[in-house]
Amino acid sequence: MSLNVNGYPIQPLAPNAVPMDTAGSLELGVFKTTATQEHALGRRVELWDGRVFRYCKNGEAQIGAALMTQSSVAPAETINIEQVGQAMTAGDKTVRVLVTTSNGVVDGGLIGGTLLIRANTGERYAYAIKNNKWIIGDTVMELELYDAIRVTTDETTKITLFPNRYKDVIVAPTTLTGAVVGVTNLVIPANHYFWAQTRGLAPMLVDADDTLVIGEKAGFPATAGTAGAVGVVGATDVVYGHVVAIGADGETALIDLRLE
C-alpha cells in the first residue's frame, strides 16, 4: 500500500534500520536513480551498518559518482525582503508574504522549504513550508505552513524563503554557494532522483594536490581545485568526516562521513 506526502507517492515508512540481507541487497534501493519521484525529498534512511542517506533531486546536468553535493542557491528575489503591506498573525498556518517582482519561484516550488523571519518584528523564528502559490502577480505569495506562526509580524519584518535543501542539488563548487548535502554513490543523470549519503563509510574523489592522512579530518579543501572533491581542511573549513583509507589526488579515498 502506498502513502502520499504533499501529493507525492512514497513507500510506507520503515524503521530507521533498514534490513539488508547481503551487501548490496537494499530494500529501499539507495543505489539507483529514477526519472520520477518515489519518496518525499529529504526522507532519511539508515542502514544496518550506520550509513545514512537522504532522498534528493539532481538539479543540473549529470553528476559523477563519489562527489559532494550542495543545496541549490535561494533565488535572490526571496532573500531579506521587507514585508511592506503584509503581516503574519500568531496562530495562522496560512500567510501571505511579499517578494521581489519577477522571481523564479513557481507554485509548489517551495514545498519542504523554510520561511525564515530574518530581522525585526517576529525575528528568530523559522517555519517549514507545506505549499506555496501566487496570489497577486509575482509579488505576493501565499504560504501554507506545517506549524502556526508563533509571533505576529508587521511590515518592518524581513524574511527569507529557502527552497527544500534536497531539491535541485548541484555538485559542490570550488567556492560553496550553499550548504553541503551529501555524497553521490553512482552517476546521477540530469534531473533524476537519488539517495545522497550523509553518514558512514563513503568513497570520495580526492582533490588535486591534496594528501589525506588516515584518521585525520577531511572535507571541503582549503584550496579547492575540483568541484565535489574531498581534501585537507584547515581550522575553519567545512569538515565532511574522517579519513579511513587514503587515495592520491584524482583517486578515490574512503571517508567516514559525519554530515549529520
Side-chain angles (χ1 to χ4, degrees):
M1 176 181 178
S2 63
L3 302 178
N4 190 284
V5 173
N6 293 327
Y8 296 127
I10 65 171
Q11 298 300 315
L13 293 177
N16 258 358
V18 179
M20 188 162 104
D21 298 327
T22 60
S25 176
L26 307 176
E27 284 195 352
L28 291 179
V30 295
F31 298 130
K32 72 173 185 178
T33 70
T34 60
T36 56
Q37 187 170 351
E38 296 182 344
H39 306 273
L41 291 175
R43 182 182 175 186
R44 180 183 187 274
V45 295
E46 180 177 347
L47 304 185
W48 67 278
D49 59 359
R51 284 177 295 166
V52 174
F53 298 80
R54 293 279 188 170
Y55 194 65
C56 301
K57 179 180 182 290
N58 177 11
E60 61 177 10
Q62 177 176 289
I63 300 176
L67 298 177
M68 179 61 71
T69 61
Q70 71 152 56
S71 59
S72 61
V73 180
E77 297 87 355
T78 65
I79 298 175
N80 199 30
I81 307 301
E82 191 171 33
Q83 295 301 288
V84 177
Q86 301 297 325
M88 292 173 272
T89 303
D92 286 351
K93 286 189 174 182
T94 301
V95 300
R96 292 188 177 187
V97 296
L98 179 70
V99 299
T100 302
T101 303
S102 300
N103 80 85
V105 178
V106 299
D107 287 354
L110 293 175
I111 290 174
T114 301
L115 161 65
L116 171 67
I117 311 300
R118 177 168 172 167
N120 301 331
T121 307
E123 66 180 346
R124 304 187 187 184
Y125 292 94
Y127 305 91
I129 299 171
K130 189 174 184 180
N131 207 347
N132 68 284
K133 64 179 178 180
W134 290 106
I135 297 298
I136 301 176
D138 56 359
T139 59
V140 177
M141 181 185 296
E142 182 177 271
L143 302 178
E144 184 180 355
L145 307 176
Y146 281 101
D147 300 302
I149 295 293
R150 294 188 281 282
V151 176
T152 296
T153 69
D154 60 28
E155 63 177 17
T156 70
T157 299
K158 292 183 179 181
I159 71 163
T160 293
L161 300 175
F162 289 98
N164 186 320
R165 65 179 299 188
Y166 303 102
K167 179 182 179 182
D168 296 332
V169 302
I170 62 174
V171 174
T174 53
T175 298
L176 292 177
T177 56
V180 294
V181 171
V183 174
T184 58
N185 272 281
L186 70 167
V187 175
I188 314 299
N191 301 312
H192 272 54
Y193 296 87
F194 70 101
W195 294 92
Q197 187 172 344
T198 61
R199 193 172 180 86
L201 300 183
M204 288 199 71
L205 177 70
V206 179
D207 197 47
D209 301 321
D210 272 26
T211 302
L212 300 178
V213 178
I214 292 177
E216 292 193 359
K217 295 177 180 178
F220 186 76
T223 304
T226 303
V230 65
V232 177
V233 294
T236 60
D237 294 322
V238 179
V239 175
Y240 300 159
H242 292 82
V243 180
V244 174
I246 62 172
D249 57 52
E251 295 182 348
T252 306
L254 190 62
I255 306 298
D256 188 6
L257 293 176
R258 287 292 182 268
L259 298 182
E260 62 173 313

